[in-house]
Amino acid sequence: RTYSMMGTGTQCSSRQFSMTGTSEKGLTDYLDPFKSHPNIITYQHPLDMYSKMDFQNGMVCTYGTNDLKDQGVTGALPSVCSQYVGYSGPQVLVEEDKKTPARNCRYYTHSLHYALMLMQNTTVLQEDGTTDGGCAPATIYPDGSAMCPTHEMDTACTAAAVAASALAVGIIIAIVLGGVACCCGTSVACYCCRKKKPVNP
């Protein structure tokens, strides 16, 4: 068996993972992400955003639910983790008011030390390896599922980025040319005014 403590999922990444000069089939030459692998057992906290990136394979055992029930929705951990719910990944990575609570939440939910502290309680981790939140087989998404991004989506994003860049360049050129035309027009007008002879009364 393979045990994963809070590891990220592998279903989508293994289908699309590729580097320059490597297979366009991701890692599917080495593993099959389209069928369940019950020999893989992943332990994850219900509020761990990193372990919930991508979709797990095999069995997923959730731990820490008793602690969350004891804390209640106003407890320290739920209160901290709830502050970044609903925001995008870039916002959580860049915006300080979202990044700080996300980092504080991760400090506990994606921590081996915190997991060890919880799992020392036999009601959290039982002798048979099951947990207080229960264990269940991960949902396996078929090939072509909309749940996983595709290379076609990458192409669409690239095309959108190119179009946006072209628009931005066009706007900049228009502004520059407009500024040049304005300066030239003003200069010509001033030159003509200076060359014009005053009319004698």
Side-chain angles (χ1 to χ4, degrees), residues 24-47:
E24 285 298 318
K25 297 187 293 182
L27 299 177
T28 55
D29 289 337
Y30 310 99
L31 58 91
D32 186 355
F34 307 114
K35 71 176 185 179
S36 179
H37 298 277
N39 58 300
I40 301 174
I41 302 175
T42 300
Y43 290 90
Q44 65 177 200
H45 192 279
L47 299 181

Side-chain angles (χ1 to χ4, degrees), residues 71-138:
Q71 290 189 43
V73 293
T74 59
L77 193 55
S79 295
V80 170
C81 296
S82 65
Q83 294 178 40
Y84 72 88
V85 173
Y87 295 102
S88 66
Q91 285 178 299
V92 171
L93 290 173
V94 176
E95 297 179 15
E96 202 62 39
D97 61 327
K98 286 93 176 175
K99 181 167 65 175
T100 299
R103 183 171 56 238
N104 293 338
C105 180
R106 181 193 65 194
Y107 180 83
Y108 292 99
T109 61
H110 197 66
S111 165
L112 287 173
H113 302 290
Y114 188 66
L116 175 61
M117 184 194 78
L118 293 176
M119 289 180 176
Q120 286 178 334
N121 187 327
T122 54
T123 64
V124 175
L125 180 64
Q126 285 83 46
E127 290 186 2
D128 60 358
T130 57
T131 54
D132 54 341
C135 298

